[in-house]
């Protein structure tokens, strides 16, 4: 017959097994579907936002004037990266380069020093432009007028207009016509438009080009 102390390790193992089984049953109970495995962001194969390499054309108009993004302070470079997820760089200052899925237009503008919501736009200089009875923010994406853009994901070869002012629908469409249609070239989705000499180096920054 076993001494009482000899049963202690066996009892401990059985107790641990019962606890583990109970936890598994609880996690898999109900109609919530399979259990989501949580892992550390950045671990290979476990990124919450997968790597992509997308491009989108955009333009910002303020009271009828096109905002100029062709300035060094807006460009990400190998030395200075404003965002590893989304950026613009020379010579494509009218094209957004997206490196993570789930990147919103608000995130993009925030990386450049703006603050964008669907009601207000704050410029890097500090001026705040908000909807009022006289002026408003307007958005057109891929030829369609939308109520909000800030929290929409940027997707490949989007064309987006952000405009603040008192423009009519017709005037807004005229502004939208000024949005370039070149993102598909960088995404190599319109090969007939790729120059014979090839595309210039995109100068992928620290985030890299997948």
């Amino acid at each position: 017959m076993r001494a009482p102390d000899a049963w202690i390790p066996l009892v401990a193992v059985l107790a641990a097994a019962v606890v583990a089984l109970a936890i598994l049953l609880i996690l898999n109970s109900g109609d919530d579907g399979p259990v989501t495995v949580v892992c550390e962001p950045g671990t290979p194969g476990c990124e919450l936002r997968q790597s992509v390499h997308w491009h989108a054309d955009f333009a910002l108009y303020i009271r009828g004037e096109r905002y100029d993004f062709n300035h060094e302070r807006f460009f990400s470079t190998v030395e200075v990266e404003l965002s590893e997820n989304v950026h613009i760089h020379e010579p494509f200052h009218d094209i957004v380069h997206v490196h993570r899925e789930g990147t919103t237009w608000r995130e993009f503008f925030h990386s450049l020093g703006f603050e964008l919501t669907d009601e207000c736009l704050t410029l890097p200089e500090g001026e705040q432009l908000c909807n009022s009875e006289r002026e408003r923010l307007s958005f057109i994406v891929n030829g369609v007028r939308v109520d909000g853009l800030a929290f929409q994901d940027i997707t490949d070869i989007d064309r987006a207009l952000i405009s603040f002012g008192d423009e009519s629908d017709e005037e807004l469409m005229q502004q939208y016509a000024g949005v370039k249609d070149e993102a598909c070239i960088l995404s190599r989705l319109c090969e007939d438009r790729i120059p014979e000499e090839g595309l210039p180096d995109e100068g992928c920054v620290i985030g890299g080009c997948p």
Side-chain angles (χ1 to χ4, degrees):
M1 183 175 181
R2 292 177 181 266
D5 291 345
W7 291 98
I8 294 177
L10 181 59
V11 170
V13 171
L14 291 174
V18 170
V19 171
L21 179 61
I23 292 173
L24 288 174
L25 290 174
I26 291 172
L27 290 175
N28 288 281
S29 63
D31 298 322
D32 296 330
V35 177
T36 300
V37 177
V38 179
C39 55
E40 188 68 23
T43 303
C46 196
E47 292 83 1
L48 298 180
R49 295 167 62 181
Q50 297 298 317
S51 296
V52 296
H53 192 194
W54 294 339
H55 304 89
D57 298 286
F58 79 104
L60 169 65
Y61 281 81
I62 298 175
R63 298 185 175 107
E65 296 293 327
R66 185 166 182 151
Y67 195 93
D68 186 7
F69 287 91
N70 190 17
H71 289 285
E72 186 175 307
R73 62 181 172 141
F74 295 131
F75 296 145
S76 283
T77 66
V78 172
E79 293 77 20
V80 179
E81 183 178 40
L82 301 181
S83 169
E84 65 177 10
N85 296 330
V86 59
H87 56 258
I88 56 177
H89 53 74
E90 294 183 289
F92 312 108
H93 56 272
D94 293 320
I95 298 179
V96 186
H97 300 252
V98 182
H99 291 280
R100 290 285 177 188
E101 65 180 6
T103 297
T104 64
W105 287 98
R106 183 183 189 187
E107 180 179 353
F108 165 61
F109 276 97
H110 181 75
S111 74
L112 302 183
F114 296 77
E115 186 59 43
L116 176 66
T117 69
D118 293 334
E119 293 78 31
C120 290
L121 173 68
T122 304
L123 305 182
E125 298 78 15
E127 183 179 4
Q128 189 175 57
L129 310 171
C130 294
N131 291 344
S132 66
E133 293 183 359
R134 188 170 61 87
E135 297 177 304
R136 69 193 184 283
L137 274 172
S138 300
F139 311 100
I140 298 178
V141 183
N142 301 325
V144 178
R145 180 86 174 265
V146 295
D147 293 331
L149 177 73
F151 299 99
Q152 282 195 25
D153 292 351
I154 307 173
T155 58
D156 205 14
I157 67 171
D158 275 346
R159 292 180 67 206
L161 168 72
I162 302 94
S163 180
F164 180 81
D166 59 358
E167 284 76 16
S168 65
D169 290 345
E170 182 179 354
E171 289 170 328
L172 287 173
M173 290 307 298
Q174 290 174 354
Q175 290 180 355
Y176 176 75
V179 179
K180 293 182 178 179
D181 183 19
E182 297 179 349
C184 71
I185 299 175
L186 295 186
S187 290
R188 292 172 171 78
L189 296 176
C190 46
E191 295 185 1
D192 58 317
R193 296 174 58 194
I194 297 177
E196 291 184 4
E197 63 274 18
L199 294 173
D201 182 13
E202 286 194 47
C204 291
V205 294
I206 298 171
C209 293

